[in-house]
Amino acid sequence: MPVSTNPDVMEKLVSLCKRRGFVFQSSEIYGGTGSVWDYGPLGVELKKNLKDRWWHAMVRARDDIQGIDAAILMHPRVWEASGHVAGFTDPMVDCRNCKKRFRADDPKIKGTPGTPDAQCPACGMKGTLSEARLFNLMFKTFMGPVEDTASVVYLRPETAQGIYVNFLNVQQSTRQKVPFGIAQIGKAFRNEITPGNFVFRTREFEQMEMQFFVDPQSDHMQWFEYWKAQRMEWHHGLGLSPERLHFHAHTADELAHYARAAFDIQFDFGGTLGFQEIEGVHHRGDFDLSRHQEYSGKKLEYFDQPNNRRFVPYVIETSVGADRTALALLVNAYREEEVPGESEGRTVLGLHPSLAPIKAGVFPLVKKDGMPEMAERIAAELRRRFPVFLDDSGAIGRRYRRQDEVGTPFCITVDGQSTQDGTVTIRDRDTLQQERVAGPFVGDYIMERIGN
Ligand code: GAP
């Protein structure tokens, strides 16, 4: 794993996210729920903007991908077919002394768990680590009023299976021809053993997944390469620094049970976390569709009419976490800097304007001479097109700082001249340059700069 040369900003981000309403700990007033987080007013906008960009790039802007929204609860046999009941387990060891739990392959464990010389990495005691035991990562619940083994269902640990079981429904209802894809965004749940690092690894998270169905007799590796390149380009388009992104190829040992080939797109989160996966691009072969055919007894073959051929397609999957990518965006955007000519520095979230939760701050310079009324009129007009924040309290410099810190790309000031000639100043978050623009053109000016 390459060592990061970027600073660790996680602690500062966690604090900013709470203070400014991006992310709160779930059920905080009860002491919090382990590794579950709630998105506040600004966080929900950021994540929604991110998901909208993905949906646009993967579904709306293409004619070969269809969107769906499958249910979280699925037939329990789905998870037998997918391999999750048998294979979605991690070997774990428990410390009898400090009660902490670790992955059996944790490099910090010295010695062999279960033997007297094995040492707990947390409390340092020797001989207290249990032997490795398998631990299933799926959340179980019960459907219906009776809690018995017949009513066990699982919260889905990935959204992909909702796509496989609907493969023919979508193909036949839309008359798509192979190669084509199905995409969805939705919640997934994993009883992670070692969650942490804020929203990086949580027990409830959102995935944006796309399964692309290809003819096994075609050059399917070419599609794998195509999707690798497309997905990396998408991350660049979000404004993630190219030098903080790279591919990591899975070795034979790392490949998931379903995968023939896999690459992670990793982002450098800085500090000790360093480069970590934010997206997986997987060649899943015909594993999933074949298994669902076998377990359901229903054919999941595609009929290639021109060639009068039936086949089970291969699948190229792209799977990206919305929460993890939102965290990458925040880490990438966070900076503290001096401001030329000013004694106080500033904290900035240099988010791409299309991702920023608030697009413009609107400030009356002073609370008199018609400036508040004009600012209110402009804010109301702009709010019909994008989120704005009207702020009339405190020195103008402070108001700029408050917007810089949440990534607002533009700040509009209504000053003495505005009430005379109808123009306002628009300050750019990054260059600090100000331009004077006529009131009626402010909306178009900003929309043009938000771009895609
Ligand atoms: N369908 C394939 C699949 O689920 P994965 O590599 O296990 O593959 C894909 O997950 C993406 O989902 C990851 O790259 C990550 O962004 C996100 N993800 C997985 N587990 C997560 C967790 N516990 N918390 C937050 N995001 C997670």
Side-chain angles (χ1 to χ4, degrees):
M1 188 78 49
V3 175
S4 175
T5 51
N6 285 300
D8 184 354
V9 297
M10 203 66 91
E11 213 178 301
K12 287 175 174 169
L13 261 185
V14 175
S15 151
L16 188 156
C17 282
K18 180 176 175 179
R19 192 161 35 80
R20 300 305 310 272
F22 279 90
V23 181
F24 309 121
Q25 198 184 4
S26 161
S27 319
E28 195 186 1
I29 58 168
Y30 287 97
T33 313
S35 293
V36 185
W37 300 88
D38 296 338
Y39 286 80
L42 296 189
V44 71
E45 287 291 337
L46 171 65
K47 196 153 82 133
K48 186 171 183 318
N49 292 338
L50 173 65
K51 290 186 288 182
D52 284 350
R53 281 191 63 128
W54 187 87
W55 193 257
H56 181 80
M58 299 297 277
V59 181
R60 296 219 166 131
R62 302 186 62 110
D63 61 3
D64 59 352
I65 299 187
Q66 302 288 339
I68 64 163
D69 183 10
I72 287 171
L73 300 176
M74 301 182 74
H75 195 288
R77 291 275 284 166
V78 166
W79 306 110
E80 290 170 32
S82 69
H84 284 88
V85 170
F88 202 52
T89 49
D90 275 352
M92 303 301 300
V93 299
D94 291 305
C95 173
R96 279 187 291 276
N97 181 48
C98 69
K99 312 285 180 232
K100 292 242 165 64
R101 179 169 277 173
F102 311 91
R103 301 172 84 99
D105 60 0
D106 190 326
K108 294 193 291 301
I109 296 177
K110 296 201 182 84
T112 310
T115 64
D117 59 321
Q119 190 178 8
C120 171
C123 68
M125 285 277 274
K126 275 194 169 177
T128 55
L129 290 181
S130 69
E131 279 181 14
R133 283 188 289 246
L134 291 179
F135 185 95
N136 197 295
L137 298 179
M138 276 199 295
F139 278 95
K140 239 185 221 176
T141 186
F142 301 93
M143 192 174 264
V146 187
E147 295 195 5
D148 61 10
T149 47
S151 62
V152 166
V153 289
Y154 298 97
L155 301 189
R156 65 181 177 198
E158 62 171 7
T159 65
Q161 300 303 324
I163 292 179
Y164 301 131
V165 299
N166 278 301
F167 162 65
L168 278 189
N169 283 338
V170 174
Q171 190 270 318
Q172 288 167 359
S173 59
T174 60
R175 296 189 288 123
Q176 281 283 358
K177 292 186 175 50
V178 164
F180 78 99
I182 306 177
Q184 75 169 325
I185 299 177
K187 290 261 182 171
F189 302 82
R190 293 182 193 174
N191 202 0
E192 295 281 5
I193 311 304
T194 49
N197 288 308
F198 199 27
V199 295
F200 176 80
R201 182 170 285 114
T202 56
R203 296 198 164 104
E204 172 177 344
F205 55 97
E206 259 181 304
Q207 290 187 312
M208 306 187 281
E209 296 200 301
M210 191 280 300
Q211 316 294 321
F212 201 73
F213 302 92
V214 299
D215 185 338
Q217 288 182 13
S218 69
D219 188 355
H220 43 91
M221 283 315 285
Q222 202 180 321
W223 280 112
F224 183 63
E225 293 303 325
Y226 167 84
W227 280 112
K228 262 176 65 188
Q230 285 286 310
R231 297 306 304 147
M232 182 60 99
E233 204 179 299
W234 183 78
H235 287 284
H236 290 166
L238 297 180
L240 291 177
S241 311
E243 63 278 9
R244 293 184 84 147
L245 288 165
H246 69 202
F247 284 114
H248 164 78
H250 282 214
T251 60
D253 286 350
E254 289 172 301
L255 282 181
H257 59 276
Y258 52 73
R260 291 174 163 227
F263 274 82
D264 292 340
I265 295 177
Q266 294 189 333
F267 171 77
D268 181 0
F269 285 87
T272 49
L273 194 54
F275 277 91
Q276 297 289 341
E277 170 190 346
I278 54 173
E279 170 151 8
V281 181
H282 311 127
H283 190 320
R284 298 180 69 132
D286 61 4
F287 177 85
D288 303 275
L289 291 182
S290 297
R291 293 275 289 199
H292 285 304
Q293 278 200 148
E294 185 188 332
Y295 280 70
S296 69
K298 302 277 174 2
K299 286 254 174 269
L300 289 175
E301 289 173 339
Y302 171 77
F303 180 50
D304 172 9
Q305 212 161 15
N307 297 307
N308 198 22
R309 231 180 98 223
R310 288 182 191 279
F311 59 85
V312 175
Y314 279 180
V315 170
I316 312 294
E317 170 182 67
T318 70
S319 173
V320 56
D323 311 83
R324 211 176 269 188
T325 308
L327 180 61
L329 290 168
L330 289 168
V331 167
N332 188 77
Y334 185 92
R335 60 180 200 262
E336 290 168 9
E337 62 191 22
E338 303 291 314
V339 184
E342 287 186 27
S343 55
E344 244 182 87
R346 64 172 189 160
T347 298
V348 189
L349 285 185
L351 293 167
H352 189 290
S354 71
L355 296 164
I358 300 169
K359 308 300 181 199
V362 184
F363 313 147
L365 186 60
V366 288
K367 284 194 217 179
K368 56 180 187 183
D369 302 334
M371 291 180 221
E373 293 77 8
M374 185 171 171
E376 262 169 46
R377 272 200 311 278
I378 291 176
E381 184 62 33
L382 296 180
R383 205 171 280 125
R384 290 155 44 156
R385 303 173 76 176
F386 44 75
V388 299
F389 187 81
L390 180 73
D391 190 357
D392 62 4
S393 64
I396 197 81
R398 284 212 163 273
R399 286 182 259 172
Y400 282 144
R401 299 290 168 273
R402 288 200 283 260
Q403 293 308 313
D404 290 343
E405 198 186 37
V406 298
T408 306
F410 305 102
C411 287
I412 300 159
T413 301
V414 175
D415 56 15
Q417 188 179 330
S418 309
T419 52
Q420 302 302 309
D421 66 6
T423 63
V424 295
T425 62
I426 304 184
R427 168 205 183 252
D428 182 291
R429 175 196 66 203
D430 299 320
T431 63
L432 300 176
Q433 296 299 309
Q434 301 206 14
E435 260 188 82
R436 206 161 254 287
V437 177
F441 298 112
V442 172
D444 288 345
Y445 175 98
I446 291 177
M447 283 301 283
E448 209 173 283
R449 279 157 186 80
I450 292 173
N452 291 305

